[in-house]
């Protein structure tokens, strides 16, 4: 593969070394576990968290004579992911054996795709920012390929002094390896890329994106160079399992390489591990002879072929993806780019918003979802799927504001009550007497009482009309916030003779 | 095409087969004889010919996404020299 530099060096991304500026080059290989019930080539369950070796068939344990049979759903999911990455779908691809020995790889080889992957070149648009000026920058990150492969088993090293324990539950689970081009130029861009990729996969439902459970892991390739200069030797940081760690690993690895070169040394191409506790990368212990995987087509599997109609049918059924949804929310609902990008960051949030906004004012709905709902969820460490306030309940609150039944301020209180106690917002307003007072005579009485009690302020207000605000505040206080603020404002001004 | 003694040692190492120096030499001769035999295929011009993947034209069989096996941990670890709690136990490998 020849590397094409698609980016223009930009000083704002440079990092300063002792001898001048440096530019970071990042490419990524992301392993994403395919959402499927069964494994890629066997009928064992792909579900996470079973007891040791319970989700293992004789195929996964590589018993003699067992033959792999591909799971059609995994093929479908890989194609759908390719479509979501705007990538070329290859109607014919080939499974190869990647040979190496490790105790958690009972076959002695991983079935993968080498020369002919199921998905070719695509791209992801990544929004990076906000920078110090609050601006976002769109960066295009190329996708080199996506291929299907088997996951390996899991080795546990801390159970015994001299033995490792091997659990094959993950062995044979379908993975998509998604390889980016080396198009990222900072840790921020790399983080944004991984975040966006995860969002796309979750929208598609092809990977749950759960990095804690290892359903998404990234190998990060990092090198540094003089701005715009030739590419240097890279190091690969293996198996980074959180988006935050990806950022930290890149920063520390880039600094290590710069120090090395500036001291007159050079970077060795090697595989490294990120230590989250120390916040730095270290070389993996064994430096065996260069890997020689001796790829060759797996004689147990025919080439994977499908026709265009199959791909077209999948394309037609694709859900609306975050970029399209964002554009639609900006154009049709008039939302700002910032609001729209927050709402589309998770499909569940977007769905929630759209349900609230249905038949209502979109901007108001967006404000409530972003500021009040997401704010409260953040504070309590809950995800959108655990929200105590449903879209219907929030919608009902907005309806009460719109009908002038409650003021915006009371609505915040109402939201709190629904959040902690649940219930039907309209019924709560009725029962607790939170209704806004729109009855003019009741407001007039309250205004008159405040005026009568404060003759000195009335005098001052004649010279200084802005004092009307003080009267409005007093009336709101006297009515427990239930008076309609606009009505109070009008009546106060009329009574004080201010216009 | 022929292999030298270093290649023989390397192939043995990659296959995790213990080969003594004397065996390596013998094997070099055997391997070269085999390669020489296979090399006769080079006499055929196959430019422009698709590699054959199957004797009869057929498409790859696919399975439905259904869980049809598993929960046989006893059987899976039955041949393992050492097990505990249904784990395989192997000499420690730490990276």
């Amino acid at each position: 593969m020849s590397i094409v530099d698609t980016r223009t060096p930009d000083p704002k991304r440079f990092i300063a070394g002792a001898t001048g500026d440096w530019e970071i080059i990042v490419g990524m290989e992301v392993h994403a576990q395919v959402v499927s019930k069964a494994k890629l080539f066997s009928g064992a369950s792909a579900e996470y968290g079973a007891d040791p070796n319970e989700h293992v068939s004789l195929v996964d344990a590589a018993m003699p004579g067992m033959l792999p049979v591909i799971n059609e759903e995994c093929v479908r999911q890989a194609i759908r992911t390719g479509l979501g990455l705007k990538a070329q779908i290859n109607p014919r691809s080939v499974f190869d054996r990647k040979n190496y020995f490790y105790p958690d790889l009972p076959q002695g080889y991983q079935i993968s795709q080498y020369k002919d992957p199921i998905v070719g070149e695509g791209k992801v648009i990544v929004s990076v920012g906000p920078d110090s000026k609050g601006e976002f920058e769109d960066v295009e990150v190329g996708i080199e390929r996506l291929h299907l492969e088997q996951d390996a088993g899991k080795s546990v090293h801390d159970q015994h002094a001299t033995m490792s324990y091997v659990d094959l539950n993950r062995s044979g689970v379908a993975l998509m390896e998604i390889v980016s081009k080396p198009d990222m130029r900072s840790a921020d861009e790399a983080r944004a890329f991984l975040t966006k990729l995860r969002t796309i996969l979750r929208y598609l439902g092809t990977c749950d994106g759960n990095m804690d459970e290892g359903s998404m892991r990234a190998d990060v390739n990092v090198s540094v160079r003089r701005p715009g200069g030739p590419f240097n030797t890279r190091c690969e940081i293996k198996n980074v399992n959180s988006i935050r760690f990806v950022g930290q690993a890149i920063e520390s690895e880039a600094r290590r390489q710069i120090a090395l070169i500036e001291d007159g040394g050079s970077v060795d191409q090697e595989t490294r591990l990120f230590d989250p506790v120390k916040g730095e990368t270290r070389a993996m212990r064994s430096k065996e002879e260069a890997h020689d995987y001796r790829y060759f087509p797996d004689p147990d599997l025919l080439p994977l072929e499908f026709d265009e109609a199959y791909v077209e049918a999948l394309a037609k059924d694709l859900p609306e993806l975050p970029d399209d949804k964002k554009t639609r929310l900006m154009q049709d609902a008039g939302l700002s780019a910032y609001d729209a990008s927050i709402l589309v960051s998770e499909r569940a949030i977007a769905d929630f918003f759209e349900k609230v906004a249905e038949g209502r004012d979109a901007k108001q709905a967006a404000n409530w979802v972003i500021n009040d709902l997401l704010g409260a969820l953040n504070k309590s460490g809950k995800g959108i799927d655990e929200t105590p306030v449903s879209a219907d309940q929030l919608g009902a609150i907005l309806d009460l504001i719109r009908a002038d039944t409650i003021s915006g301020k009371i609505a915040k209180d109402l939201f709190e009550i629904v959040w902690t106690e649940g219930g039907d917002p309209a019924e709560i307003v009725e029962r607790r007497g939170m209704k806004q007072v729109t009855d003019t005579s009741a407001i007039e009485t309250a205004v008159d009482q405040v005026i009568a009690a404060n003759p000195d302020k009335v005098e001052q207000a004649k010279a200084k009309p802005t004092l009307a605000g003080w009267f409005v505040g007093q009336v709101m206080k006297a009515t427990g916030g239930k008076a309609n603020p606009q009505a109070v404002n009008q009546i106060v001004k009329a009574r004080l003779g201010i216009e | 095409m022929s292999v030298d003694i270093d290649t023989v040692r390397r192939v043995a190492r990659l296959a995790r087969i213990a080969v003594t120096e004397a065996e390596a030499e013998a094997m070099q001769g055997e391997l070269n004889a085999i390669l020489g035999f296979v090399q006769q295929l080079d006499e055929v011009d196959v430019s422009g010919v698709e590699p054959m993947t199957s004797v009869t034209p057929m498409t790859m069989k696919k399975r439905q996404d259904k869980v049809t096996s598993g929960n046989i941990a006893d059987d899976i670890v039955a041949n393992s020299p050492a097990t505990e709690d249904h784990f395989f136990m192997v000499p420690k490998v730490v990276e």
Side-chain angles (χ1 to χ4, degrees):
Chain A
M1 160 191 147
S2 68
I3 303 173
V4 180
D5 194 348
T6 57
R7 306 285 304 277
T8 314
D10 185 333
K12 78 175 180 214
R13 284 187 290 266
F14 295 170
I15 43 178
T19 58
D21 286 339
W22 295 87
E23 201 178 10
I24 307 181
I25 312 291
V26 181
M28 245 185 261
E29 289 158 31
V30 177
H31 289 91
Q33 184 180 324
V34 175
V35 171
S36 66
K37 294 190 191 75
K39 295 183 179 181
L40 181 54
F41 293 114
S42 85
S45 169
E47 203 185 330
Y48 174 86
D51 286 337
N53 288 313
E54 290 294 358
H55 286 177
V56 180
S57 76
L58 298 175
V59 176
D60 310 315
M63 293 295 169
M66 295 297 115
L67 288 173
V69 181
I70 198 163
N71 181 343
E72 185 168 25
E73 175 66 9
C74 299
V75 175
R76 205 180 72 91
Q77 293 284 52
I79 298 171
R80 294 178 69 241
T81 306
L83 291 168
L85 299 173
K86 317 266 182 251
Q88 188 198 320
I89 308 298
N90 296 326
R92 182 181 188 279
S93 62
V94 175
F95 285 98
D96 299 274
R97 291 184 180 180
K98 178 181 179 177
N99 300 278
Y100 66 93
F101 285 103
Y102 205 74
D104 60 20
L105 188 79
Q107 288 168 153
Y109 58 85
Q110 175 194 36
I111 305 178
S112 180
Q113 297 191 294
Y114 185 51
K115 280 202 195 112
D116 301 298
I118 184 167
V119 174
E121 292 186 319
K123 64 181 176 195
V124 173
I125 307 292
V126 175
S127 182
V128 186
D131 61 14
S132 52
K133 289 179 213 132
E135 311 250 319
F136 287 82
E137 182 190 9
D138 279 349
V139 171
E140 185 179 309
V141 177
I143 297 295
E144 175 71 24
R145 58 185 281 161
L146 175 156
H147 67 251
L148 279 169
E149 63 182 29
Q150 297 176 303
D151 203 348
K154 187 179 75 174
S155 306
V156 187
H157 305 296
D158 57 5
Q159 299 289 306
H160 194 282
T162 57
M163 306 288 265
S164 290
Y165 285 38
V166 178
D167 172 14
L168 299 180
N169 280 344
R170 248 173 41 191
S171 165
V173 167
L175 299 180
M176 296 179 282
E177 179 172 324
I178 303 165
V179 184
S180 88
K181 292 182 185 285
D183 285 352
M184 289 156 276
R185 295 288 177 271
S186 70
D188 281 347
E189 291 185 4
R191 269 200 303 262
F193 168 72
L194 197 53
T195 307
K196 182 62 174 283
L197 184 61
R198 181 173 178 274
T199 303
I200 293 172
L201 297 178
R202 284 172 57 86
Y203 263 70
L204 292 165
T206 57
C207 170
D208 67 21
N210 190 331
M211 298 189 81
D212 294 336
E213 291 177 4
S215 14
M216 210 174 143
R217 341 187 257 275
D219 297 342
V220 191
N221 286 295
V222 180
S223 66
V224 297
R225 67 170 182 189
R226 293 297 185 187
F231 288 112
N232 253 320
T233 308
R234 64 185 163 82
C235 286
E236 180 180 15
I237 311 162
K238 274 268 181 211
N239 269 335
V240 189
N241 63 0
S242 91
I243 292 173
R244 193 161 54 94
F245 291 161
V246 163
Q248 292 175 3
I250 293 169
E251 300 267 359
S252 82
E253 176 59 16
R255 258 181 259 118
R256 185 189 72 88
Q257 292 183 13
I258 290 168
L260 207 58
I261 300 170
E262 291 191 331
D263 284 349
S266 63
V267 177
D268 289 332
Q269 181 161 348
E270 62 183 0
T271 306
R272 301 179 66 85
L273 290 173
F274 177 67
D275 182 340
V277 179
K278 289 188 189 149
E280 57 188 34
T281 67
R282 60 173 165 84
M284 285 174 76
R285 231 175 290 167
S286 70
K287 286 194 185 169
E288 285 183 51
E289 66 255 62
H291 284 298
D292 183 347
Y293 292 127
R294 293 149 294 143
Y295 283 99
F296 65 90
D298 191 322
D300 289 342
L301 291 160
L302 285 165
L304 174 58
E305 292 175 293
F306 40 79
D307 55 23
E308 227 167 274
Y310 182 65
V311 179
E312 273 167 23
L314 293 178
K316 232 194 267 167
D317 274 351
L318 233 46
E320 184 182 32
L321 289 167
D323 288 346
D324 299 328
K325 207 183 267 289
K326 182 179 164 187
T327 309
R328 182 169 58 80
L329 291 183
M330 288 168 67
Q331 282 172 356
D332 298 359
L335 299 187
S336 70
Y338 184 73
D339 285 357
S341 58
I342 290 176
L343 292 172
V344 304
S345 64
E346 286 261 359
R347 188 173 171 179
I349 294 174
D351 289 347
F352 188 101
F353 162 74
E354 298 214 75
K355 205 165 173 201
V356 175
E358 172 102 61
R360 302 191 177 94
D361 181 78
K363 277 188 192 166
Q364 189 187 28
N367 282 338
W368 274 84
V369 169
I370 294 170
N371 299 327
D372 299 276
L373 182 80
L374 294 183
L377 287 172
N378 252 341
K379 226 193 288 163
S380 58
K382 285 191 165 80
I384 184 81
D385 48 332
E386 306 162 283
T387 175
V389 178
S390 71
D392 286 336
Q393 285 170 317
L394 183 53
I397 295 175
L398 298 192
D399 288 342
L400 290 166
I401 302 174
R402 180 140 183 234
D404 272 338
T405 311
I406 55 172
S407 66
K409 192 176 165 301
I410 290 288
K412 306 271 177 191
D413 299 338
L414 178 58
F415 179 84
E416 287 245 11
I417 294 169
V418 176
W419 176 276
T420 45
E421 299 168 24
D424 171 24
E427 197 261 332
I428 293 171
V429 165
E430 196 67 49
R431 182 158 43 84
R432 303 209 179 187
M434 297 167 79
K435 259 191 186 170
Q436 177 163 251
V437 178
T438 43
D439 172 7
T440 322
S441 65
I443 298 175
E444 278 172 346
T445 313
V447 172
D448 288 343
Q449 278 167 1
V450 173
I451 285 178
N454 299 282
D456 50 331
K457 295 267 194 218
V458 174
E459 276 311 305
Q460 290 172 28
K462 279 178 182 151
K464 197 181 168 199
T466 50
L467 256 186
W470 181 84
F471 284 93
V472 174
Q474 292 301 303
V475 174
M476 293 305 291
K477 212 166 153 189
T479 55
K482 285 182 290 183
N484 178 318
Q486 284 88 39
V488 175
N489 202 27
Q490 274 175 13
I491 293 166
V492 164
K493 282 184 172 164
R495 284 288 200 272
L496 293 175
I498 309 169
E499 210 34 70
Chain B
M1 185 184 165
S2 64
V3 292
D4 58 19
I5 193 76
D6 284 340
T7 307
V8 174
R9 286 196 203 101
R10 194 161 142 268
V11 170
R13 159 91 189 123
L14 283 169
R16 300 295 189 276
I17 298 171
V19 173
T20 65
E21 209 47 38
E23 285 170 334
E25 267 170 46
M27 215 161 275
Q28 182 185 3
E30 282 180 37
L31 282 174
N32 281 331
I34 293 168
L35 287 169
F37 174 70
V38 175
Q39 204 161 12
Q40 294 177 62
L41 290 172
D42 285 353
E43 291 165 21
V44 186
D45 181 9
V46 291
S47 54
V49 179
E50 283 267 316
M52 188 178 76
T53 51
S54 174
V55 180
T56 51
M58 57 187 291
T59 51
M60 181 157 64
K61 288 240 166 53
K62 301 189 177 89
R63 66 163 68 236
Q64 284 188 308
D65 187 26
K66 281 193 185 138
V67 176
T68 55
S69 64
N71 295 314
I72 46 167
D74 280 334
D75 293 345
I76 293 297
V77 299
N79 295 325
S80 178
T83 68
E84 192 175 301
D85 298 336
H86 284 150
F87 280 106
F88 293 94
M89 291 169 77
V90 299
K92 197 151 214 159
V93 272
V94 176
E95 182 49 80

